[in-house]
Amino acid sequence: MMSTAAPDPVELLAWYAEMGVTEALDETPHDHFMEAPQPAATRPAPPQLVRATAAAARPALPATATAPDDAALTARTMAQQATTLDELKEALAQFEGCALKATAKNLVFSDGNPAARLMLVGEAPGADEDRIGLPFVGRSGQLLDRMLAAIGLNRKEHVYIANLLPWRPPGNRTPTPQEVAICLPFIQRQIQLANPDILVCIGAPSAQGLLGLTGILASRGKWLEYDTGTRRIRAMATLHPAYLLRQPLQKRLAWRDLRALKAALDAKT
């Protein structure tokens, strides 16, 4: 025979919590489906809707940001006016069109040898890079250095390193398409001024932004051509060291890419 005893309050509360009930609305239960609708005369008047303009409805851009199209146009103009890498770095320091600048500690422009035959372009600075002001100096950078050393390269002599974006996105999030579009003219000009023989895009955002590739696992390790604006150079996408730290088994794929890179460098020596 089914017991009619009242449920234990503690067990009842535990059951409510498990079911996702977080608050009680009334001591008396109501069947809202059976209640008669309120007469029209006693219904509260609906709030007056004010037709706001799109500009009023959207949150204001930070003081350092401008409209995306205007910012991209300004970026192209400033980038093309720079005739040296030092001038380009100074142009980036003066550029106010990207909101990431307002939240970043430092501009992260480059590291390594600008005259190197190999240029690596990553995604964006992380916390360590933002703090120090150089690309690939955290755990990912340490792994990258070991990867380069495995094929006889070091960043001070043989490699020039930069990022798709020179400012850290908050929380190390993936850069938005708008942020990439605004900053793209600067990294394109940086590649043009460095004029390497080989370009390697590290990670999916860099591969997509510079080479138009999607699906990094499928597109990595394949030789393409990149037009610097003055000549066409060999280019390849590879896996980001941060991804390899999370997925160590994929290092075998990165090693294949490194061997192909070493062969290409040796062939032009």
Side-chain angles (χ1 to χ4, degrees), residues 58-71:
R58 290 194 300 265
L61 291 171
T64 56
T66 57
D69 291 343
D70 293 341

Side-chain angles (χ1 to χ4, degrees), residues 26-32 35:
D26 200 342
E27 293 183 357
T28 305
H30 299 277
D31 187 344
H32 295 283
E35 290 180 1

Side-chain angles (χ1 to χ4, degrees), residues 6 16 21 28 33 62 73 75 78 110 148 150 175 231 263:
Y16 281 152
V21 178
T28 305
F33 292 100
L73 179 60
M78 294 179 69
S110 68
L148 292 172
R231 67 187 182 114

Side-chain angles (χ1 to χ4, degrees), residues 204 207 211 213-224 236-238:
L211 303 178
L213 299 176
T214 57
I216 187 67
L217 286 173
S219 59
R220 48 138 291 275
K222 298 176 182 178
W223 285 113
L224 304 167
M236 175 199 293
T238 192

Side-chain angles (χ1 to χ4, degrees), residues 46-193:
Q48 295 295 317
L49 297 177
V50 178
R51 300 182 68 86
T53 63
R58 290 194 300 265
L61 291 171
T64 56
T66 57
D69 291 343
D70 293 341
L73 179 60
T74 301
R76 283 194 294 272
T77 301
M78 294 179 69
Q80 287 304 313
Q81 288 175 346
T83 58
T84 67
L85 290 170
D86 287 338
E87 288 181 7
L88 185 66
K89 183 177 180 180
E90 181 59 28
L92 266 170
Q94 296 176 5
F95 182 63
E96 300 294 339
C98 181
L100 293 178
K101 183 178 181 180
T103 57
K105 291 184 176 68
N106 281 301
L107 167 69
V108 180
F109 184 68
S110 68
D111 194 19
N113 179 8
R117 295 174 53 225
L118 171 62
M119 183 171 180
L120 308 180
V121 178
E123 176 182 331
D128 292 322
E129 290 78 11
D130 185 38
R131 177 172 52 84
I132 296 173
L134 293 172
F136 286 99
V137 294
R139 290 184 63 215
S140 295
Q142 294 165 17
L143 177 56
L144 178 63
D145 287 343
R146 294 196 296 272
M147 292 166 64
L148 292 172
I151 56 172
L153 305 179
N154 69 75
R155 72 165 69 196
K156 294 303 178 185
E157 297 178 70
H158 308 114
V159 184
Y160 183 56
I161 307 176
N163 275 315
L164 193 65
L165 274 70
W167 297 288
R168 180 196 181 199
N172 290 358
R173 62 165 172 76
T174 301
T176 67
Q178 182 183 99
E179 291 163 350
V180 171
I182 289 173
C183 295
L184 194 59
F186 288 107
I187 186 61
Q188 289 173 330
R189 182 61 170 160
Q190 193 170 355
I191 296 169
Q192 186 179 55
L193 292 172

